[in-house]
Structure formats: structure tokens, C-alpha cells
């Protein structure tokens, strides 16, 4: 099948398929005589695995590790358990961070209880102060899906 067919079969964008190929998560496909990429069922299976891992917010390195285990089925799966335990820890930490963020946002929201001119908005004033900026974790960037 061609890349568009693989994309449709797995509900994955062509761009993401190419990205996974560049990242060596998805093996390079065979090329047909007219130089089109030719994908098979093994690509569907692997891409489905990758997408499931991504839906669990796993990083590319974690997925690479899991794929190595998957490629050596005779090996002990203790490493898989350790990887998942570590990922659970990342998720738990992110939940704690999000709860702290939620509390901060609620305090911020309380700064403007009623509708006023923007010049009188307590939220905008608070966002302009150093104490507001320091309440958020320093160095933390808002990037969805990473840990």
C-alpha cells in the first residue's frame, strides 16, 4: 500500500508517518519500481503500536525502548515493567504540577470577580507583577504531552 493508504488505515497523518520513519520508529518501506513507498501489514501493526503508546503520553525514547523489547520476544519483560513504572511516576508528577497550576489559576481568577474595564482588571494587573510570575515554576514550559 502507498503512504496515503497507510495513513488512512491507521488514522495517522502522512507527515507523522514520515516523522516516525525519520526517527527510526517505523522501518523504511520498500520502494516499488516507480520509486513509490510500499507499506505492508507490519507497518500497520507497528504504527498502531506507536500510536497507542503516544496516546498514553509516552515519549519517543520510551517507545523506542518498548519496540526493542517487542523485537526480542524471548527476553525477560522486567525492563518493560520498569519503563512503565517510571512513566507512571512522570504522569503522577505532571498531575501534581497541574494541580498546583490549577490552584494558581484559581487564585488569579479571584483577582477579578466582576466585569470591569481592562485597565482595572485584577487578573491583568496580577500577571504584570513579579510575584505572579514567580508563583509559576521557574523554567517550566507549557508543552503538552511531554514530561
Amino acid at each position: 500500500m502507498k503512504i496515503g493508504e497507510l495513513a488512512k488505515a491507521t488514522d495517522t497523518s502522512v507527515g507523522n508517518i514520515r516523522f516516525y520513519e525519520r526517527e527510526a520508529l517505523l522501518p523504511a518501506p520498500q520502494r516499488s519500481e516507480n520509486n513509490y513507498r510500499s507499506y505492508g501489514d507490519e507497518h500497520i501493526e507497528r504504527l498502531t503500536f506507536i500510536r497507542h503508546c503516544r496516546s498514553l503520553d509516552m515519549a519517543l525514547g520510551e517507545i523506542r525502548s518498548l519496540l526493542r523489547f517487542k523485537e526480542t520476544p524471548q527476553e525477560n519483560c522486567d525492563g518493560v515493567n520498569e519503563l512503565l513504572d517510571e512513566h507512571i511516576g512522570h504522569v503522577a508528577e505532571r498531575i501534581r504540577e497541574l494541580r498546583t497550576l490549577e490552584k494558581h489559576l484559581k487564585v488569579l481568577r479571584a483577582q477579578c470577580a466582576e466585569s470591569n474595564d481592562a485597565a482595572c482588571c485584577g487578573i491583568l494587573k496580577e500577571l504584570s507583577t513579579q510575584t505572579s510570575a514567580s508563583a509559576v515554576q521557574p523554567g517550566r514550559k507549557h508543552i503538552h504531552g511531554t514530561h
Side-chain angles (χ1 to χ4, degrees):
M1 75 185 85
K2 294 180 185 173
I3 195 166
E5 295 167 313
L6 177 64
K8 188 174 183 177
T10 59
D11 195 29
T12 306
S13 73
V14 169
N16 278 349
I17 292 170
R18 289 187 177 137
F19 172 76
Y20 293 139
E21 286 176 13
R22 282 192 307 274
E23 291 293 319
L25 291 173
L26 194 61
Q30 298 290 323
R31 294 282 185 163
S32 64
E33 290 176 14
N34 56 4
N35 206 28
Y36 287 126
R37 290 177 171 102
S38 181
Y39 297 91
D41 290 339
E42 68 278 1
H43 290 96
I44 290 175
E45 180 184 329
R46 188 152 176 139
L47 193 51
T48 300
F49 182 87
I50 292 167
R51 292 201 19 102
H52 194 175
C53 290
R54 293 296 291 151
S55 75
L56 297 172
D57 204 30
M58 291 186 179
L60 296 181
E62 292 170 319
I63 297 170
R64 263 189 208 91
S65 294
L66 291 174
L67 285 169
R68 280 193 291 273
F69 282 106
K70 197 166 170 17
E71 291 167 353
T72 55
Q74 71 282 2
E75 293 294 321
N76 187 297
C77 71
D78 282 343
V80 175
N81 294 333
E82 290 171 13
L83 187 145
L84 202 60
D85 288 342
E86 188 175 324
H87 185 66
I88 291 167
H90 291 302
V91 170
E93 177 61 28
R94 185 66 182 135
I95 289 168
R96 283 189 292 279
E97 291 170 355
L98 288 171
R99 284 190 180 129
T100 300
L101 176 61
E102 178 187 30
K103 288 177 189 174
H104 178 68
L105 290 170
K106 285 180 177 179
V107 168
L108 187 61
R109 176 61 181 94
Q111 301 300 311
C112 192
E114 58 187 61
S115 182
N116 288 312
D117 294 337
C120 300
C121 179
I123 295 171
L124 295 176
K125 287 179 181 177
E126 183 67 21
L127 287 171
S128 298
T129 66
Q130 180 62 32
T131 54
S132 176
S134 63
V136 180
Q137 294 178 354
R140 182 77 184 170
K141 294 181 178 145
H142 181 87
I143 302 174
H144 173 72
T146 61
H147 47 264

